[in-house]
Every structure is written in structure tokens, then in C-alpha cells.
Amino acid sequence: MSPDGIKLLKTPVLDKSKWMQLPRDVIIGHDVLAQLPKVCEDLQVSGSALVFSGKGTMDVAGSQVLSLVREVMDAELFIVDTITPEIISEAEEAGSGVDVFIGVGGGKVIDTAKIVSYNCCRPFISIPTAASHDGIASSRASVPVKGGSVSLEANPPIALIADTGIIAAAPHRLLAAGCADVISNYTAILDWELSHRLRGEPVSEYAIALARMTAEIISKNADLIKPHSEESAWTVVKALLSSGVAMSIAGSSRPASGGEHKFSHALDQIAPGKGLHGEQCGIGSIITMYLHGGDWRGIRTSLKKIGAPTTPKEMGIDDYSAAQALVLAHTIRPERFTILDMGVTEEVARELIAMLYEE
Ligand SMILES: NC(=O)C1=CN([C@@H]2O[C@H](COP(=O)(O)OP(=O)(O)OC[C@H]3O[C@@H](n4cnc5c(N)ncnc54)[C@H](OP(=O)(O)O)[C@@H]3O)[C@@H](O)[C@H]2O)C=CC1
Ligand SMILES: O=C(CO)COP(=O)(O)O
Ligand SMILES: [Zn+2]
């Protein structure tokens, strides 16, 4: 009984908690780069910044961002050529004592800034120059390591500033790769559900619903995704954002990364520097959708409409290497159970790659 005589009910304790981190300010649109000083003011970010950019993306937006940041705080530059544990340590040293990290570029630049931000316990602002991957707003980062790849916990951006003018001007190949990365959510989800049924891995229905809806929006609008159209850049950036949020809800990259991603990571080892991340995942998704017994032709049609490759040859990768990547995929993150972990022989792998060329 409470002091007021009200009978208190004993409620069962749910011994469960979850901490999800999501972006706070999201600015998407034409010429929004100029909003950066305002965003820093809104988020009360001041002091000093370390701006990460790439060799090519420096000219696209990195220099402009550096000038804008220097209007409101001290800023230094760190050029990311490739992402490795060594480069990350180097960047952490350069970022010691810095108040905010800003990533301006493609996926490698953004992932590096994200990891350094997490390790240095300082916020990070994401400024993608291309809609090529769904890590622009996620709380995960992928790092290639010897013999594979690791998915690390990282800081999601405190702010995402996506300038659709810059993104639409980027080579169409990058936008098409971003679409393919999102379309591959279809099979990532099937793999997660398979692991749930076979291994008892917990799933998040909300993360699955969001990731699937995102893939559906891109597939349904495949006809409307056009090169150098700011409208298309809008559509794709929003999809990448919601796919990233799905990963943050899940607390892992599971809703957006399954066997098709393991295939892509294996290709990065076997045929480095040929295909883009999203392109490889898209092709992997056609194959794993076939293995799941789903509409693999539908995935292939969407990718073709968008202008993403559907065969290894289109990425400059020979079929033998692609088949090897399929066989090796299960060795990448063996703890992540997918349909490719059920056993793919060399013979089957060759047949699966040949299937991609079928009319
Ligand atoms: N954290 C996550 O949740 C996710 C992470 N990823 C990771 O992201 C990476 C893939 O990203 P992706 O962007 O495809 O690869 P990269 O970061 O390697 O970028 C590909 C190329 O595009 C160039 N580029 C970027 N923007 C422009 C532009 N506007 N105009 C001309 N060139 C441009 C880059 O230039 P530059 O040389 O200047 O860099 C680079 O040469 C992988 O490492 C992948 O693992 C992918 C999905 C999700
Ligand atoms: O690329 C991702 C989602 O699109 C996530 O990357 P991982 O495969 O490294 O988890
Ligand atoms: Zn991906």
C-alpha cells in the first residue's frame, strides 16, 4: 500500500536495455554546404576541428569545407587515401585534443572520421560527396583487415550535411553503387532471418522493416534514378540515411549486410580496386536472392535500370575470381551466419556466376 492507500501493483522486471544513437541535425539539399558554420553553432561545436577528405574529394568539397570551418574555429586537414588500422592510428594521433571531426568524401573517408571520432570520444559531422554507400549516417564502420573485414562500432554523425548539387555532379557510377548497396538490404534481411531460425540470433523487427522499406523505395523508383539529376540524388540520400538508421536501431550492420556483403569483402581481397563496394554487394545480392529462392531477376532488373553492374565482367573482374570470392565468403566474419555459410563448392560457385549472364 502507498501512503495514500493506493494499492501498488508489482510489475515484472524486463531486464533489457538498449542505447541507440542517431544523427541530430540532418540537412539535405542544394548548396547546403554553406550551412556548416550554422550547424556548428546549433550543435555548440567550437574550438578545433580535424577535417578528413580524399585526394579527389578535396577539390570537390574538402577545400570548401576547410575554409568554412576556419570561419568559426581552428581546423587542420587529414587526407585519407585508404582505410587501414595503421591509418586510423595515425589519424587518431593527428586528432588528439581536437573538438570535432568532419568527414568530407566517399565511404572510406567517412568511415575513418567516424572511427577516429568514436575512439577520441568527440563528435563527428558527415559530409558525403557521393551517394555511394549507406554508411553516411550509420553507427558502424567497416575496416579491411588481413584476410577479411571487420565491422566496428563507431559514432553516428552528430550532423549529416548532404549537398545534392555536389552529389548529383559526381560520376553516376557512385550513385548507382549507393542504390545497389541499399537494394542488397533485401538479401541481408533474408540472411538475418535465416540466422534467427537456424542459430537463434535475435532480430529487430523495426530494423528489418525499415531496411526492407528502404530497398523497396529504391527498387520501385529504379526508372527515376537518372544520372546527374538532383531529384535522384535526393531520393538516394534519403534511402541511405534510413538504411543507416536501420543499422543504428539494430546496433549492428545486420539489416544492411549479409552474404552479399561477405562476397563483396572477399572480392576486395581477391580483386582489389576493381568494383565499388555497392556494385559488388548488388551482384552478390542477385546470387544470394537466387539461393534464397526469391526474385533474383527482379533485383537484377532494378540494378540494370539504375545503371549498376550485374556481372563481374562489367566491373573488370574475371568470372574465376568472382567464383573464388563466393567460395571464400564464408571465411569473412564467420560469426555472421548467412546463406553463403551453408557450403558453396567451387562447381556451384561457377554455376552461380554463369547464371548472372543468363538472358
Ligand atoms: N559504415 C558503414 O555502415 C558502411 C561503410 N561502407 C564502406 O564505405 C566504403 C565504400 O564507399 P565508396 O564511397 O564506394 O568508396 P570510396 O570511399 O573508396 O570512394 C570511391 C571513389 O569515389 C571518389 N569520389 C567520392 N565522391 C566523389 C565525387 N563527388 N566526385 C568524384 N569522385 C568522388 C573517391 O575519391 P577520393 O579518392 O577522394 O576518396 C574515391 O576515389 C567501403 O570501405 C565500405 O566498406 C559501405 C557501406 C556502409
Ligand atoms: O556495408 C555495410 C552496409 O551496407 C556494412 O558493412 P559491413 O559489411 O562491414 O558490416
Ligand atoms: Zn554496404
Side-chain angles (χ1 to χ4, degrees), residues 187-224:
T187 46
I189 293 162
L190 290 176
D191 279 332
W192 197 8
E193 289 171 338
L194 181 74
S195 175
H196 175 66
R197 288 193 291 270
L198 282 175
R199 299 278 169 100
E201 182 180 341
V203 289
S204 158
E205 281 185 48
Y206 282 99
I208 285 178
L210 185 57
R212 184 178 287 127
M213 182 196 73
T214 308
E216 262 163 23
I217 289 175
I218 292 297
S219 301
K220 276 188 197 148
N221 289 302
D223 283 324
L224 307 174

mmCIF file of all heavy atoms in Angstrom, residues 187-224:
data_model
loop_
_atom_site.group_PDB
_atom_site.id
_atom_site.type_symbol
_atom_site.label_atom_id
_atom_site.label_comp_id
_atom_site.label_asym_id
_atom_site.label_seq_id
_atom_site.Cartn_x
_atom_site.Cartn_y
_atom_site.Cartn_z
ATOM 1 N N THR A 187 18.452 -9.015 -49.346
ATOM 2 C CA THR A 187 19.053 -10.318 -49.022
ATOM 3 C C THR A 187 19.732 -10.298 -47.652
ATOM 4 O O THR A 187 19.793 -11.330 -46.981
ATOM 5 C CB THR A 187 20.053 -10.750 -50.115
ATOM 6 O OG1 THR A 187 20.891 -9.642 -50.450
ATOM 7 C CG2 THR A 187 19.329 -11.258 -51.342
ATOM 8 N N ALA A 188 20.220 -9.122 -47.238
ATOM 9 C CA ALA A 188 20.813 -9.030 -45.898
ATOM 10 C C ALA A 188 19.759 -9.444 -44.851
ATOM 11 O O ALA A 188 20.046 -10.186 -43.907
ATOM 12 C CB ALA A 188 21.303 -7.608 -45.644
ATOM 13 N N ILE A 189 18.536 -8.986 -45.084
ATOM 14 C CA ILE A 189 17.434 -9.300 -44.155
ATOM 15 C C ILE A 189 17.111 -10.799 -44.180
ATOM 16 O O ILE A 189 16.920 -11.429 -43.134
ATOM 17 C CB ILE A 189 16.178 -8.484 -44.536
ATOM 18 C CG1 ILE A 189 16.416 -6.997 -44.290
ATOM 19 C CG2 ILE A 189 14.952 -8.967 -43.777
ATOM 20 C CD1 ILE A 189 15.419 -6.108 -45.023
ATOM 21 N N LEU A 190 17.064 -11.355 -45.401
ATOM 22 C CA LEU A 190 16.772 -12.797 -45.510
ATOM 23 C C LEU A 190 17.835 -13.614 -44.771
ATOM 24 O O LEU A 190 17.524 -14.614 -44.113
ATOM 25 C CB LEU A 190 16.695 -13.216 -46.983
ATOM 26 C CG LEU A 190 15.489 -12.694 -47.756
ATOM 27 C CD1 LEU A 190 15.575 -13.107 -49.232
ATOM 28 C CD2 LEU A 190 14.167 -13.195 -47.156
ATOM 29 N N ASP A 191 19.096 -13.166 -44.885
ATOM 30 C CA ASP A 191 20.176 -13.872 -44.183
ATOM 31 C C ASP A 191 20.028 -13.751 -42.668
ATOM 32 O O ASP A 191 20.306 -14.686 -41.918
ATOM 33 C CB ASP A 191 21.538 -13.306 -44.619
ATOM 34 C CG ASP A 191 21.991 -13.889 -45.946
ATOM 35 O OD1 ASP A 191 21.598 -15.032 -46.259
ATOM 36 O OD2 ASP A 191 22.729 -13.211 -46.674
ATOM 37 N N TRP A 192 19.611 -12.572 -42.226
ATOM 38 C CA TRP A 192 19.449 -12.349 -40.785
ATOM 39 C C TRP A 192 18.321 -13.256 -40.257
ATOM 40 O O TRP A 192 18.454 -13.908 -39.217
ATOM 41 C CB TRP A 192 19.119 -10.871 -40.546
ATOM 42 C CG TRP A 192 19.310 -10.393 -39.140
ATOM 43 C CD1 TRP A 192 19.878 -11.077 -38.097
ATOM 44 C CD2 TRP A 192 18.937 -9.114 -38.625
ATOM 45 N NE1 TRP A 192 19.881 -10.294 -36.962
ATOM 46 C CE2 TRP A 192 19.312 -9.087 -37.273
ATOM 47 C CE3 TRP A 192 18.326 -7.988 -39.175
ATOM 48 C CZ2 TRP A 192 19.090 -7.965 -36.448
ATOM 49 C CZ3 TRP A 192 18.112 -6.867 -38.369
ATOM 50 C CH2 TRP A 192 18.490 -6.866 -37.022
ATOM 51 N N GLU A 193 17.225 -13.298 -41.030
ATOM 52 C CA GLU A 193 16.096 -14.146 -40.614
ATOM 53 C C GLU A 193 16.479 -15.635 -40.640
ATOM 54 O O GLU A 193 16.050 -16.407 -39.779
ATOM 55 C CB GLU A 193 14.878 -13.865 -41.514
ATOM 56 C CG GLU A 193 14.277 -12.500 -41.225
ATOM 57 C CD GLU A 193 13.201 -12.070 -42.211
ATOM 58 O OE1 GLU A 193 13.174 -12.589 -43.352
ATOM 59 O OE2 GLU A 193 12.400 -11.188 -41.856
ATOM 60 N N LEU A 194 17.306 -15.988 -41.608
ATOM 61 C CA LEU A 194 17.777 -17.382 -41.687
ATOM 62 C C LEU A 194 18.593 -17.721 -40.435
ATOM 63 O O LEU A 194 18.431 -18.782 -39.819
ATOM 64 C CB LEU A 194 18.648 -17.546 -42.944
ATOM 65 C CG LEU A 194 19.213 -18.932 -43.201
ATOM 66 C CD1 LEU A 194 18.127 -19.885 -43.689
ATOM 67 C CD2 LEU A 194 20.344 -18.876 -44.248
ATOM 68 N N SER A 195 19.464 -16.788 -40.064
ATOM 69 C CA SER A 195 20.304 -16.995 -38.881
ATOM 70 C C SER A 195 19.439 -17.067 -37.609
ATOM 71 O O SER A 195 19.740 -17.807 -36.674
ATOM 72 C CB SER A 195 21.320 -15.863 -38.782
ATOM 73 O OG SER A 195 22.053 -15.985 -37.603
ATOM 74 N N HIS A 196 18.364 -16.293 -37.627
ATOM 75 C CA HIS A 196 17.434 -16.329 -36.489
ATOM 76 C C HIS A 196 16.808 -17.727 -36.365
ATOM 77 O O HIS A 196 16.762 -18.314 -35.286
ATOM 78 C CB HIS A 196 16.349 -15.269 -36.701
ATOM 79 C CG HIS A 196 15.269 -15.280 -35.669
ATOM 80 N ND1 HIS A 196 15.499 -14.952 -34.353
ATOM 81 C CD2 HIS A 196 13.957 -15.602 -35.761
ATOM 82 C CE1 HIS A 196 14.366 -15.068 -33.677
ATOM 83 N NE2 HIS A 196 13.424 -15.460 -34.500
ATOM 84 N N ARG A 197 16.391 -18.264 -37.517
ATOM 85 C CA ARG A 197 15.716 -19.568 -37.499
ATOM 86 C C ARG A 197 16.692 -20.711 -37.207
ATOM 87 O O ARG A 197 16.364 -21.640 -36.489
ATOM 88 C CB ARG A 197 15.013 -19.816 -38.840
ATOM 89 C CG ARG A 197 13.782 -18.944 -39.040
ATOM 90 C CD ARG A 197 12.939 -19.415 -40.212
ATOM 91 N NE ARG A 197 13.602 -19.195 -41.476
ATOM 92 C CZ ARG A 197 13.492 -18.095 -42.199
ATOM 93 N NH1 ARG A 197 12.710 -17.114 -41.786
ATOM 94 N NH2 ARG A 197 14.133 -17.963 -43.332
ATOM 95 N N LEU A 198 17.903 -20.622 -37.775
ATOM 96 C CA LEU A 198 18.850 -21.735 -37.623
ATOM 97 C C LEU A 198 19.758 -21.622 -36.404
ATOM 98 O O LEU A 198 20.201 -22.623 -35.861
ATOM 99 C CB LEU A 198 19.732 -21.847 -38.877
ATOM 100 C CG LEU A 198 19.093 -22.500 -40.091
ATOM 101 C CD1 LEU A 198 20.034 -22.440 -41.282
ATOM 102 C CD2 LEU A 198 18.704 -23.942 -39.825
ATOM 103 N N ARG A 199 20.059 -20.379 -36.021
ATOM 104 C CA ARG A 199 21.023 -20.172 -34.941
ATOM 105 C C ARG A 199 20.447 -19.468 -33.722
ATOM 106 O O ARG A 199 21.162 -19.212 -32.764
ATOM 107 C CB ARG A 199 22.202 -19.334 -35.456
ATOM 108 C CG ARG A 199 22.987 -19.961 -36.588
ATOM 109 C CD ARG A 199 23.966 -20.954 -36.008
ATOM 110 N NE ARG A 199 24.570 -21.767 -37.037
ATOM 111 C CZ ARG A 199 25.784 -21.558 -37.551
ATOM 112 N NH1 ARG A 199 26.492 -20.525 -37.154
ATOM 113 N NH2 ARG A 199 26.272 -22.381 -38.429
ATOM 114 N N GLY A 200 19.197 -19.048 -33.833
ATOM 115 C CA GLY A 200 18.565 -18.350 -32.704
ATOM 116 C C GLY A 200 19.077 -16.932 -32.527
ATOM 117 O O GLY A 200 18.909 -16.332 -31.455
ATOM 118 N N GLU A 201 19.706 -16.370 -33.564
ATOM 119 C CA GLU A 201 20.218 -14.993 -33.446
ATOM 120 C C GLU A 201 19.043 -14.023 -33.279
ATOM 121 O O GLU A 201 18.088 -14.071 -34.055
ATOM 122 C CB GLU A 201 21.024 -14.639 -34.708
ATOM 123 C CG GLU A 201 21.629 -13.245 -34.614
ATOM 124 C CD GLU A 201 22.448 -12.854 -35.853
ATOM 125 O OE1 GLU A 201 22.852 -13.744 -36.633
ATOM 126 O OE2 GLU A 201 22.673 -11.647 -36.010
ATOM 127 N N PRO A 202 19.100 -13.127 -32.301
ATOM 128 C CA PRO A 202 17.989 -12.174 -32.146
ATOM 129 C C PRO A 202 17.890 -11.235 -33.354
ATOM 130 O O PRO A 202 18.908 -10.875 -33.929
ATOM 131 C CB PRO A 202 18.363 -11.364 -30.885
ATOM 132 C CG PRO A 202 19.478 -12.095 -30.236
ATOM 133 C CD PRO A 202 20.151 -12.933 -31.286
ATOM 134 N N VAL A 203 16.654 -10.897 -33.706
ATOM 135 C CA VAL A 203 16.453 -9.949 -34.806
ATOM 136 C C VAL A 203 15.676 -8.736 -34.278
ATOM 137 O O VAL A 203 15.040 -8.809 -33.228
ATOM 138 C CB VAL A 203 15.650 -10.571 -35.987
ATOM 139 C CG1 VAL A 203 16.464 -11.601 -36.735
ATOM 140 C CG2 VAL A 203 14.342 -11.171 -35.505
ATOM 141 N N SER A 204 15.745 -7.654 -35.020
ATOM 142 C CA SER A 204 14.960 -6.473 -34.674
ATOM 143 C C SER A 204 13.944 -6.249 -35.781
ATOM 144 O O SER A 204 14.307 -5.972 -36.922
ATOM 145 C CB SER A 204 15.870 -5.243 -34.542
ATOM 146 O OG SER A 204 15.109 -4.062 -34.721
ATOM 147 N N GLU A 205 12.662 -6.391 -35.436
ATOM 148 C CA GLU A 205 11.617 -6.239 -36.458
ATOM 149 C C GLU A 205 11.585 -4.836 -37.024
ATOM 150 O O GLU A 205 11.301 -4.630 -38.201
ATOM 151 C CB GLU A 205 10.256 -6.570 -35.860
ATOM 152 C CG GLU A 205 10.023 -8.064 -35.775
ATOM 153 C CD GLU A 205 8.624 -8.384 -35.296
ATOM 154 O OE1 GLU A 205 7.677 -7.788 -35.830
ATOM 155 O OE2 GLU A 205 8.506 -9.213 -34.377
ATOM 156 N N TYR A 206 11.845 -3.839 -36.170
ATOM 157 C CA TYR A 206 11.822 -2.448 -36.647
ATOM 158 C C TYR A 206 12.958 -2.205 -37.626
ATOM 159 O O TYR A 206 12.782 -1.573 -38.667
ATOM 160 C CB TYR A 206 11.917 -1.466 -35.467
ATOM 161 C CG TYR A 206 10.602 -1.332 -34.762
ATOM 162 C CD1 TYR A 206 10.340 -2.043 -33.593
ATOM 163 C CD2 TYR A 206 9.602 -0.522 -35.285
ATOM 164 C CE1 TYR A 206 9.121 -1.942 -32.956
ATOM 165 C CE2 TYR A 206 8.372 -0.417 -34.660
ATOM 166 C CZ TYR A 206 8.129 -1.128 -33.491
ATOM 167 O OH TYR A 206 6.915 -1.024 -32.882
ATOM 168 N N ALA A 207 14.145 -2.710 -37.283
ATOM 169 C CA ALA A 207 15.294 -2.522 -38.180
ATOM 170 C C ALA A 207 15.028 -3.227 -39.511
ATOM 171 O O ALA A 207 15.311 -2.685 -40.581
ATOM 172 C CB ALA A 207 16.562 -3.060 -37.526
ATOM 173 N N ILE A 208 14.446 -4.414 -39.446
ATOM 174 C CA ILE A 208 14.146 -5.172 -40.669
ATOM 175 C C ILE A 208 13.116 -4.421 -41.518
ATOM 176 O O ILE A 208 13.293 -4.252 -42.725
ATOM 177 C CB ILE A 208 13.648 -6.591 -40.317
ATOM 178 C CG1 ILE A 208 14.837 -7.447 -39.859
ATOM 179 C CG2 ILE A 208 12.927 -7.244 -41.495
ATOM 180 C CD1 ILE A 208 14.501 -8.848 -39.430
ATOM 181 N N ALA A 209 12.068 -3.928 -40.879
ATOM 182 C CA ALA A 209 11.007 -3.229 -41.632
ATOM 183 C C ALA A 209 11.572 -1.983 -42.312
ATOM 184 O O ALA A 209 11.275 -1.712 -43.482
ATOM 185 C CB ALA A 209 9.862 -2.857 -40.692
ATOM 186 N N LEU A 210 12.406 -1.240 -41.596
ATOM 187 C CA LEU A 210 12.967 -0.010 -42.163
ATOM 188 C C LEU A 210 13.934 -0.327 -43.312
ATOM 189 O O LEU A 210 13.898 0.312 -44.367
ATOM 190 C CB LEU A 210 13.681 0.784 -41.051
ATOM 191 C CG LEU A 210 14.228 2.149 -41.424
ATOM 192 C CD1 LEU A 210 13.144 3.057 -41.986
ATOM 193 C CD2 LEU A 210 14.881 2.814 -40.205
ATOM 194 N N ALA A 211 14.773 -1.320 -43.094
ATOM 195 C CA ALA A 211 15.750 -1.677 -44.139
ATOM 196 C C ALA A 211 15.037 -2.189 -45.394
ATOM 197 O O ALA A 211 15.418 -1.859 -46.516
ATOM 198 C CB ALA A 211 16.724 -2.730 -43.612
ATOM 199 N N ARG A 212 13.982 -2.975 -45.187
ATOM 200 C CA ARG A 212 13.243 -3.524 -46.349
ATOM 201 C C ARG A 212 12.514 -2.401 -47.092
ATOM 202 O O ARG A 212 12.548 -2.331 -48.328
ATOM 203 C CB ARG A 212 12.257 -4.598 -45.886
ATOM 204 C CG ARG A 212 11.548 -5.245 -47.059
ATOM 205 C CD ARG A 212 10.593 -6.335 -46.658
ATOM 206 N NE ARG A 212 11.266 -7.551 -46.232
ATOM 207 C CZ ARG A 212 11.043 -8.183 -45.088
ATOM 208 N NH1 ARG A 212 10.173 -7.700 -44.221
ATOM 209 N NH2 ARG A 212 11.690 -9.296 -44.796
ATOM 210 N N MET A 213 11.884 -1.510 -46.337
ATOM 211 C CA MET A 213 11.146 -0.403 -46.961
ATOM 212 C C MET A 213 12.101 0.449 -47.809
ATOM 213 O O MET A 213 11.774 0.865 -48.917
ATOM 214 C CB MET A 213 10.511 0.463 -45.877
ATOM 215 C CG MET A 213 9.685 1.599 -46.414
ATOM 216 S SD MET A 213 9.356 2.810 -45.143
ATOM 217 C CE MET A 213 10.925 3.611 -44.959
ATOM 218 N N THR A 214 13.299 0.661 -47.285
ATOM 219 C CA THR A 214 14.294 1.469 -47.999
ATOM 220 C C THR A 214 14.661 0.806 -49.330
ATOM 221 O O THR A 214 14.727 1.470 -50.370
ATOM 222 C CB THR A 214 15.546 1.626 -47.106
ATOM 223 O OG1 THR A 214 15.120 2.110 -45.839
ATOM 224 C CG2 THR A 214 16.531 2.581 -47.685
ATOM 225 N N ALA A 215 14.887 -0.502 -49.288
ATOM 226 C CA ALA A 215 15.220 -1.231 -50.524
ATOM 227 C C ALA A 215 14.051 -1.154 -51.508
ATOM 228 O O ALA A 215 14.241 -0.998 -52.717
ATOM 229 C CB ALA A 215 15.548 -2.688 -50.199
ATOM 230 N N GLU A 216 12.821 -1.238 -50.969
ATOM 231 C CA GLU A 216 11.632 -1.191 -51.832
ATOM 232 C C GLU A 216 11.510 0.157 -52.533
ATOM 233 O O GLU A 216 11.189 0.231 -53.714
ATOM 234 C CB GLU A 216 10.370 -1.442 -50.992
ATOM 235 C CG GLU A 216 9.924 -2.882 -51.075
ATOM 236 C CD GLU A 216 8.958 -3.253 -49.957
ATOM 237 O OE1 GLU A 216 8.300 -2.336 -49.402
ATOM 238 O OE2 GLU A 216 8.895 -4.444 -49.639
ATOM 239 N N ILE A 217 11.770 1.229 -51.783
ATOM 240 C CA ILE A 217 11.630 2.574 -52.374
ATOM 241 C C ILE A 217 12.599 2.728 -53.552
ATOM 242 O O ILE A 217 12.231 3.213 -54.615
ATOM 243 C CB ILE A 217 11.847 3.668 -51.304
ATOM 244 C CG1 ILE A 217 10.654 3.668 -50.344
ATOM 245 C CG2 ILE A 217 12.028 5.047 -51.938
ATOM 246 C CD1 ILE A 217 10.774 4.597 -49.168
ATOM 247 N N ILE A 218 13.824 2.273 -53.357
ATOM 248 C CA ILE A 218 14.802 2.405 -54.455
ATOM 249 C C ILE A 218 14.409 1.496 -55.627
ATOM 250 O O ILE A 218 14.449 1.912 -56.785
ATOM 251 C CB ILE A 218 16.239 2.109 -53.951
ATOM 252 C CG1 ILE A 218 16.698 3.220 -52.984
ATOM 253 C CG2 ILE A 218 17.223 1.976 -55.106
ATOM 254 C CD1 ILE A 218 16.803 4.604 -53.605
ATOM 255 N N SER A 219 13.992 0.271 -55.338
ATOM 256 C CA SER A 219 13.611 -0.645 -56.432
ATOM 257 C C SER A 219 12.413 -0.100 -57.203
ATOM 258 O O SER A 219 12.407 -0.114 -58.432
ATOM 259 C CB SER A 219 13.246 -2.017 -55.883
ATOM 260 O OG SER A 219 14.337 -2.540 -55.200
ATOM 261 N N LYS A 220 11.411 0.394 -56.473
ATOM 262 C CA LYS A 220 10.205 0.906 -57.147
ATOM 263 C C LYS A 220 10.503 2.135 -57.989
ATOM 264 O O LYS A 220 9.840 2.410 -58.969
ATOM 265 C CB LYS A 220 9.143 1.267 -56.099
ATOM 266 C CG LYS A 220 8.327 0.066 -55.672
ATOM 267 C CD LYS A 220 7.170 0.504 -54.803
ATOM 268 C CE LYS A 220 6.597 -0.671 -54.042
ATOM 269 N NZ LYS A 220 6.076 -0.279 -52.737
ATOM 270 N N ASN A 221 11.481 2.921 -57.547
ATOM 271 C CA ASN A 221 11.818 4.155 -58.262
ATOM 272 C C ASN A 221 13.005 3.991 -59.200
ATOM 273 O O ASN A 221 13.572 4.994 -59.650
ATOM 274 C CB ASN A 221 12.105 5.281 -57.256
ATOM 275 C CG ASN A 221 10.838 5.726 -56.559
ATOM 276 O OD1 ASN A 221 9.891 6.148 -57.217
ATOM 277 N ND2 ASN A 221 10.802 5.588 -55.259
ATOM 278 N N ALA A 222 13.354 2.733 -59.476
ATOM 279 C CA ALA A 222 14.559 2.482 -60.285
ATOM 280 C C ALA A 222 14.534 3.236 -61.623
ATOM 281 O O ALA A 222 15.564 3.738 -62.069
ATOM 282 C CB ALA A 222 14.720 0.981 -60.523
ATOM 283 N N ASP A 223 13.333 3.354 -62.211
ATOM 284 C CA ASP A 223 13.217 4.061 -63.501
ATOM 285 C C ASP A 223 13.531 5.549 -63.368
ATOM 286 O O ASP A 223 13.855 6.214 -64.352
ATOM 287 C CB ASP A 223 11.774 3.950 -64.023
ATOM 288 C CG ASP A 223 11.517 2.579 -64.605
ATOM 289 O OD1 ASP A 223 12.452 2.041 -65.210
ATOM 290 O OD2 ASP A 223 10.396 2.056 -64.425
ATOM 291 N N LEU A 224 13.364 6.065 -62.158
ATOM 292 C CA LEU A 224 13.510 7.518 -61.961
ATOM 293 C C LEU A 224 14.912 7.929 -61.524
ATOM 294 O O LEU A 224 15.210 9.110 -61.382
ATOM 295 C CB LEU A 224 12.490 8.007 -60.907
ATOM 296 C CG LEU A 224 11.037 7.623 -61.174
ATOM 297 C CD1 LEU A 224 10.149 8.026 -60.012
ATOM 298 C CD2 LEU A 224 10.563 8.299 -62.470
#
